[in-house]
Amino acid sequence: MKDVIPLTEGWRLSHDGASLAAEVPGCVHTDLLAAGLIPDPFLGRNEHDVAWIGRRAWTYTTSLPPAPAVHERTDLVFDGLDTAARITLAGEELGRTRNMHRGYRFDVTGRTGELRVEFASAYDEAAAVRAVTGDRPNVYPEPSQYIRKMACSFGWDWGPTLVTAGIWRPVRLEHWSTARLARVRPLVAVEGTTGRVELRIEVERTRQAAACELVAHAVIAGTEARGAAVIEDGEAVIVLEAPDVGLWWPRGYGDQPLYEVEVTLYEAPGTPTTTAAASAPGQHALDAWRRRIGFRTVELDRGADEHGTGFAFVVNGTRTFARGVNWIPDDVLPSRVTPDRYRTRLTQAADANVDLVRVWGGGIYEDDAFYDACDELGLMVWQDFPFACSAYPEEQPLRGEVEAEARENVVRLMHHTSLVLWNGGNENLWGFRDWGWEAELAGNSWGEGYYLGLLPRVVAELDPTRPYTASSPWSGSWDHHPNDPAHGTHHSWEVWNRRDYTEYRATVPRFVSEFGWQAPPALATLRRALPGEALAPDSPGMLHHQKAEAGNDKLHRGVTRHFRLPEGDFDRWHYLTQVVQARAVAAGIEHWRSHWPLCAGTVVWQLNDCWPASSWSAIDGDGRPKPLYHELRRVYADRLLTLQPGPDRPVLALVNQSADPWRTPVTLRRMEAGCDTVLPETLAAYEVTLDLTVGPRSVLRLPVPRDLVPAKGSGTEYLVADAGELRAVFFAVRDRDFAFPRPRFDLAVEPVADAEDTVDLVVTAHTLIRDLLLQADRLAPDAVAGRGLVTLLPGERTRIRVRGAAGAGSEEFRAALFCLGAS
């Protein structure tokens, strides 16, 4: 059997004539940080102080040990090199690389000595390619389109410019004899309850074993499915059928059963039988391939109708509303992202009722640990190919690299059941049409041949079980504008860039694959990232960690359209910007979900951050949830209650995404802000309870009875809808024009039995309390609150569970509480 030896020890990094200990996998930045030679680029404005790193060449060295004599062949395998590198062994060149997104294999049989990996500056490599291909436009003034490297390492409107180099994924020696499994492609299908796996196997032989007879055996664990095939011309196909399998479903729709498939390659003495067995007595095992699969069908409904062109995921015959988030690399130094960190972040997504994660095209193909977690958590994965916001040359040397990386990663990832869509890239087709590229390109290639030619051909050849779309956004053809909301996918950025979030309600796109609103991170995150700084919206560190063009101006515009912008009160500004972010995203999702099935999904920009910054994320760069995170949990729940503006009066909408009917009483109340009781006698006529039923996976929309509608322009009346634990509120005017009473409430801190370091904060309202928020990290950096924004009516009580705030008393909790109407 093949022996695999990880090469993780003994690496050195050359730096200014010195030799430093190097961690592999890792990168230059992490090694220099570990040696204490650079400041943390995430703190203050240190990013500028380490910019030189990306413009230098770097060399990693180690000693390659002798191979054991028992094997015929030794391969040196790199899973990822970042990016342009020359590899030598004992002074002789093994090869050169120029792509971060693929792996490399070199035959080093019988060889030993010093192994050197010499990385050129990414800027120098990009300049060399640019000299060959000519100039291409880019949204950002960096050369990311000329090098197959994580684009956002050159900076983005939420991330720093930290141009990395290094052995960023594992490296190993593989010792083998006779033959090895070079590639296995599992094509998975299901019909009824019978699963079918077609395993397409490719084998590499040693020269000594050119005439050796080989046989591959395959089995699906936990089933009776077994099969075998003789290797002919280096290839074989094994088809397995497994009756009575469980279907894999997205979270919220069912379970996620997974089955391990194992392929074992044997050297066969004589002619092997065609009847498979779990093992092959008398045969010598050479190599094995093991992966987990699930059984499900996935289709993309892009049918035309009277409204335009649809875009909806249909899983196992069930049409879904995709409750999605966009994913960026969780660290701008991606080698630091561990399987546990993937698991934590994706569990946070699942806990927020997310069922789809889009891996955005300015990042990377993530590690298998990411997709493993999605398989288990029921998170559908929309995978972009790594192209974003640029015109990409289609000439060599880039074209060959693009095809090689696409082929490698399609095969690497296609066994993951959670993967439901391949997407050509991010905003490039839109950019060609709207961003002035066409004239600037003057007929030069710009990537269209990748998105509409090369990539769909690769997917159709290697992974025909999944749909492909050319870009996000994309209307399906050049017959419509690439970002036409009536056709295909839509990016809604005009609202954040120029308008008010209430204008999300102006249209009903078929599928919103990007939209979002900014807010600063948690206060504890800011204090860690900006040590010693007197925090203000425009303090030096705050501005440095705000990468969006005119980002603070847009934050302020969002606040001032609804509130009075606090002057000289950073804590209040921080609270209001987070409230606006949560409300903005909720406004879009509530509106679009209430128009299901016309709109079939929303993908919020963005779930996570790659460093501590003001951004569109729901979880900040230190992993702390913002109020938006808790709003996602509410608006992405199976059942949603919302009050939407209508043409002449509000509309009550009940959204039921569950498989069961939703039968519920809904109480509607017209309230008066100045009253200290839930329903004053003078307003007793303004309450009604409706007994409503919403069918499975459907929406019910009803106009609110006219007597319950707050008077037009009233600054004191408001409407409340309650359905069990669900609540929706409607105000006829903006918050800044509403006469919120001075908030009065009592609070108590109660320990939680059998839960260490956990308390309940009990808040009892004596007035209307709008958007009450506990910022738990103000109590202790690791403290976590179990809920976000909450609105209480007079006399109501809520419990907020808090972990990690041991010893905090009522006054500390009161200081960490914010709401509207407070001074």
Side-chain angles (χ1 to χ4, degrees):
M1 183 67 84
K2 177 174 69 178
D3 290 330
V4 178
I5 310 298
L7 283 181
T8 58
E9 305 297 328
W11 286 94
R12 309 292 295 180
L13 172 67
S14 299
H15 172 64
D16 287 346
S19 177
L20 309 177
E23 184 175 356
V24 172
C27 71
V28 172
H29 289 80
T30 54
D31 291 332
L32 295 177
L33 275 168
L37 295 175
I38 60 170
D40 187 338
F42 285 12
L43 303 185
R45 291 177 286 174
N46 292 342
E47 174 194 353
H48 294 319
D49 297 332
V50 301
W52 56 273
I53 295 173
R55 297 187 177 274
R56 285 198 183 181
W58 298 93
T59 299
Y60 284 81
T61 60
T62 192
S63 179
L64 200 66
V70 296
H71 288 288
E72 299 170 5
R73 172 85 171 259
T74 298
D75 287 347
L76 172 64
V77 183
F78 293 94
D79 285 340
L81 293 169
D82 178 15
T83 294
R86 176 176 180 262
I87 301 101
T88 62
L89 178 58
E92 294 186 15
E93 184 174 304
L94 295 177
R96 296 178 182 244
T97 73
R98 60 195 328 156
N99 194 327
M100 178 183 185
H101 302 303
R102 54 180 292 210
Y104 298 90
R105 178 181 292 267
F106 304 101
D107 182 351
V108 294
T109 305
R111 303 174 67 179
T112 187
E114 183 185 57
L115 175 64
R116 295 174 64 87
V117 184
E118 301 168 346
F119 289 98
S121 159
Y123 286 101
D124 290 347
E125 167 71 8
V129 172
R130 185 177 190 169
V132 173
T133 65
D135 290 340
R136 299 294 191 278
N138 184 343
V139 170
Y140 299 102
E142 294 282 341
S144 61
Q145 70 268 50
Y146 305 105
I147 183 170
R148 296 309 296 156
K149 175 178 173 58
M150 184 175 85
C152 65
S153 68
F154 290 96
W156 220 261
D157 57 2
W158 34 256
T161 301
L162 294 174
V163 180
T164 51
I167 305 171
W168 78 288
R169 278 187 165 157
V171 55
R172 62 189 177 276
L173 291 172
E174 292 188 0
H175 305 297
W176 54 282
S177 297
T178 306
R180 70 177 186 92
L181 293 167
R183 190 164 78 165
V184 178
R185 286 194 297 123
L187 300 171
V188 182
V190 63
E191 184 172 348
T193 61
T194 299
R196 184 179 187 273
V197 184
E198 181 180 305
L199 294 158
R200 294 192 164 267
I201 301 163
E202 297 177 24
V203 167
E204 181 184 10
R205 297 172 182 260
T206 63
R207 285 191 298 272
Q208 301 93 316
C212 183
E213 238 179 275
L214 303 174
V215 63
H217 290 253
V219 60
I220 303 176
T223 76
E224 298 301 315
R226 284 163 166 72
V230 175
I231 307 297
E232 296 180 353
D233 297 325
E235 297 181 353
V237 177
I238 300 175
V239 177
L240 304 178
E241 289 197 353
D244 300 322
V245 296
L247 291 180
W248 185 98
W249 290 93
R251 63 153 306 283
Y253 290 83
D255 296 328
Q256 293 81 42
L258 298 171
Y259 299 83
E260 184 174 82
V261 178
E262 181 175 5
V263 176
T264 306
L265 180 65
Y266 292 95
E267 178 182 359
T271 303
T273 63
T274 56
T275 303
S279 60
Q283 297 177 347
H284 175 57
L286 303 172
D287 198 1
W289 176 95
R290 297 177 186 85
R291 300 292 189 274
R292 290 186 306 170
I293 63 164
F295 294 98
R296 56 102 185 95
T297 63
V298 59
E299 301 168 88
L300 194 56
D301 183 352
R302 289 179 273 202
D305 55 29
E306 68 272 23
H307 304 288
T309 309
F311 189 97
F313 289 99
V314 181
V315 181
N316 298 328
T318 298
R319 191 180 181 89
T320 69
F321 181 98
R323 294 169 279 189
V325 289
N326 281 276
W327 171 276
I328 66 171
D330 206 51
D331 196 316
V332 74
L333 308 178
S335 61
R336 298 198 297 196
V337 182
T338 64
D340 284 346
R341 184 160 160 184
Y342 278 129
R343 177 77 55 171
T344 295
R345 200 70 69 241
L346 291 166
T347 298
Q348 286 177 304
D351 288 346
N353 295 313
V354 167
D355 62 19
L356 181 142
V357 178
R358 175 191 172 210
V359 182
W360 167 75
I364 57 177
Y365 306 94
E366 297 289 346
D367 188 80
D368 275 292
F370 172 94
Y371 305 93
D372 287 340
C374 291
D375 290 343
E376 295 168 18
L377 292 168
L379 296 172
M380 295 183 286
V381 175
W382 162 328
Q383 177 68 52
D384 281 15
F385 288 98
F387 300 90
C389 300
S390 300
Y392 287 83
E394 296 176 40
E395 292 79 18
Q396 298 293 9
L398 290 177
R399 186 176 185 85
E401 289 295 339
V402 167
E403 180 165 0
E405 83 176 48
R407 288 182 173 278
E408 177 177 321
N409 284 284
V410 167
V411 173
R412 177 173 74 90
L413 300 179
M414 63 185 289
H415 73 274
H416 289 287
T417 314
S418 55
L419 180 59
V420 296
L421 180 68
W422 294 105
N423 177 51
N426 178 74
E427 298 188 344
N428 301 308
L429 297 174
W430 180 21
F432 178 77
R433 177 58 54 87
D434 273 5
W435 300 347
W437 293 0
E438 192 165 2
E440 185 177 349
L441 286 164
N444 288 327
S445 67
W446 55 274
E448 182 183 28
Y450 294 147
Y451 320 129
L452 299 178
L454 173 63
L455 294 174
R457 284 198 301 271
V458 168
V459 171
E461 174 192 341
L462 298 177
D463 187 17
T465 67
R466 287 180 178 84
Y468 170 89
T469 188
S471 186
S472 182
W474 180 234
S475 58
S477 77
W478 287 115
D479 293 339
H480 308 287
H481 187 280
N483 200 32
D484 187 335
H487 299 276
T489 53
H490 177 68
H491 287 194
S492 180
W493 284 117
E494 281 297 297
V495 171
W496 155 255
N497 283 320
R498 295 173 181 85
R499 302 174 183 170
D500 181 55
Y501 67 75
T502 58
E503 296 188 50
Y504 282 133
R505 303 183 182 115
T507 60
V508 183
R510 306 309 302 267
F511 193 105
V512 189
S513 49
E514 278 191 24
F515 77 107
W517 205 272
Q518 267 204 358
L523 187 67
T525 299
L526 287 173
R527 285 175 173 160
R528 188 194 68 81
L530 306 175
E533 180 163 312
L535 296 176
D538 58 354
S539 60
M542 286 292 294
L543 290 178
H544 182 74
H545 288 245
Q546 167 60 276
K547 296 296 185 178
E549 181 180 2
N552 270 18
D553 292 341
K554 295 170 185 178
L555 279 176
H556 294 165
R557 185 184 68 237
V559 172
T560 54
R561 285 181 170 172
H562 296 269
F563 307 100
R564 289 173 178 80
L565 192 67
E567 298 291 339
D569 186 344
F570 178 80
D571 288 345
R572 191 73 182 164
W573 174 87
H574 182 265
Y575 162 72
L576 290 176
T577 53
Q578 292 203 327
V579 167
V580 171
Q581 181 192 35
R583 283 203 195 171
V585 172
I589 294 174
E590 289 185 28
H591 167 66
W592 293 320
R593 281 194 73 184
S594 74
H595 286 278
W596 158 261
L598 183 59
C599 178
T602 55
V603 190
V604 176
W605 189 270
Q606 62 211 67
L607 174 69
N608 58 326
D609 260 326
C610 67
W611 81 316
S614 292
S615 83
W616 296 265
S617 70
I619 301 167
D620 74 20
D622 281 7
R624 294 185 176 93
K626 299 180 187 178
L628 169 59
Y629 173 80
H630 298 281
E631 277 296 275
L632 289 180
R633 181 183 294 163
R634 179 182 70 83
V635 297
Y636 274 166
D638 280 352
R639 292 172 175 174
L640 173 66
L641 178 73
T642 180
L643 290 164
Q644 295 290 308
D648 62 340
R649 50 183 161 148
V651 171
L652 174 68
L654 285 81
V655 181
N656 179 25
Q657 201 161 344
S658 74
D660 300 317
W662 181 17
R663 299 180 179 88
T664 183
V666 178
T667 299
L668 290 162
R669 288 176 281 180
R670 178 175 162 188
M671 305 292 294
E672 181 73 37
C675 299
D676 290 346
T677 58
V678 173
L679 192 66
E681 293 180 4
T682 55
L683 292 178
Y686 305 121
E687 175 181 344
V688 66
T689 297
L690 308 173
D691 290 316
L692 301 176
T693 300
V694 190
R697 312 199 198 285
S698 61
V699 176
L700 177 66
R701 294 172 59 93
L702 297 170
V704 170
R706 293 190 183 277
D707 287 348
L708 298 176
V709 177
K712 185 176 182 180
S714 172
T716 60
E717 295 180 355
Y718 60 102
L719 176 64
V720 180
D722 290 302
E725 296 182 354
L726 305 184
R727 167 165 289 172
V729 293
F730 177 88
F731 292 80
V733 297
R734 297 176 301 175
D735 295 82
R736 62 179 298 163
D737 299 322
F738 193 80
F740 285 104
R742 184 173 182 82
R744 292 186 292 110
F745 55 85
D746 296 329
L747 57 83
V749 181
E750 299 180 356
V752 176
D754 302 323
E756 186 178 356
D757 198 15
T758 302
V759 298
D760 279 347
L761 176 66
V762 183
V763 181
T764 303
H766 299 295
T767 62
L768 169 66
I769 304 293
R770 175 76 165 132
D771 283 340
L772 180 72
L773 175 68
L774 174 67
Q775 294 189 352
D777 60 289
R778 291 175 178 266
L779 303 168
D782 294 330
V784 178
R787 68 181 306 171
L789 300 170
V790 59
T791 292
L792 299 175
L793 305 182
E796 290 185 335
R797 174 179 297 172
T798 189
R799 287 179 176 269
I800 304 173
R801 184 144 294 180
V802 183
R803 291 185 290 105
S810 295
E811 291 309 309
E812 288 89 349
F813 273 98
R814 188 174 289 274
L817 277 170
F818 295 82
C819 65
L820 299 185
S823 57

